[in-house]
Amino acid sequence: SSVWADTQDTTVFKAAMSPGNEVPPVSAPGTTGSAAITIRVTRGVAGNITAATVVFDIDYTVASQTTFTGLHIHNAAPEANGGVVINTGISGTNSVAASGSGHISRTVNYSSADADGLKYVTGLLDAPENYYVNIHSTTQPGGLMRAPLLRTSWTFRPQMTPLQETPSNTTTDAEGAAALQVSVNRNDSGVITSGTVTFDVDYRLPENSTITG
């Protein structure tokens, strides 16, 4: 099937970053942050990810002069620490000086040749509860503040055929390709408070058909 060919999907994760989310918790009064992680992927014919872009947008507030030495996505559940799997390139030798409030934006690109990168992007999209975003500093090299990744948008691309009806329809010559966009709003605790669903369907139906639902 060519339903997936050259499709591009966007998923956004948003979360509040806190020193208290570190394992163990970090004491850093006056330090807060919010993260928006945008992932854009290109899928091949079978639906597998063939390229990806990960955009980090971090708003932060620090109580005193701070040097950020890392901004990563790690692979672990909220109560555990895990290894770095998506790296922005911020490091001890490529640090960011911060004071007061500010914004950090970094973009990471993966091509079809980046098998490990695409593996972790796929894992993040499949099970975001097993990943977190973490920012490190000279005073807290293990992590100054972090946040679990909470999805705020989904894209579904089901292939529609009469054979998937119950009971199966074997007599109608028709097909469709749907793109369902789900967007939600969350409160500070991560609870979904509202949302929208957008239906976009390309179809081929027998002549003179009427769509009733």
Side-chain angles (χ1 to χ4, degrees):
S1 170
S2 61
V3 171
W4 286 97
D6 298 325
T7 60
Q8 294 186 340
D9 297 339
T10 299
T11 302
V12 180
F13 299 88
K14 293 183 179 179
M17 303 182 72
S18 169
N21 290 335
E22 295 289 344
V23 180
V26 168
S27 177
T31 298
T32 60
S34 62
I37 309 297
T38 302
I39 301 178
R40 302 184 182 93
V41 301
T42 301
R43 296 182 183 272
V45 172
N48 55 300
I49 296 174
T50 58
T53 297
V54 183
V55 181
F56 292 70
D57 283 298
I58 310 296
D59 291 311
Y60 63 82
T61 297
V62 291
S64 59
Q65 181 70 38
T66 300
T67 300
F68 295 131
T69 57
L71 173 58
H72 319 108
I73 291 175
H74 298 248
N75 184 196
E79 68 279 1
N81 292 315
V84 173
V85 295
I86 300 176
N87 190 344
T88 64
I90 295 175
S91 67
T93 57
N94 186 30
S95 59
V96 175
S99 61
S101 297
H103 180 82
I104 299 173
S105 182
R106 292 291 187 277
T107 299
V108 181
N109 292 305
Y110 295 114
S111 70
S112 58
D114 295 312
D116 284 345
L118 295 182
K119 177 181 72 174
Y120 287 117
V121 169
T122 301
L124 171 55
L125 294 176
D126 288 345
E129 65 275 11
N130 293 325
Y131 295 81
Y132 62 92
V133 59
N134 199 13
I135 192 164
H136 307 251
S137 70
T138 51
T139 56
Q140 297 292 344
L144 174 63
M145 55 181 171
R146 70 185 249 185
L149 293 177
L150 301 175
R151 193 193 304 257
T152 59
S153 71
W154 294 257
T155 300
F156 302 96
R157 294 184 180 274
Q159 182 180 7
M160 305 173 70
T161 69
L163 296 177
Q164 297 185 73
E165 295 291 344
T166 304
S168 179
N169 180 344
T170 60
T171 60
T172 301
D173 181 20
E175 62 181 349
L180 307 180
Q181 302 282 346
V182 181
S183 298
V184 301
N185 296 310
R186 297 180 183 269
N187 62 21
D188 290 341
S189 298
V191 176
I192 294 174
T193 57
S194 62
T196 61
V197 180
T198 302
F199 294 77
D200 189 353
V201 180
D202 293 321
Y203 59 84
R204 181 181 60 80
L205 297 175
E207 188 176 358
N208 298 321
S209 296
T210 300
I211 297 174
T212 61

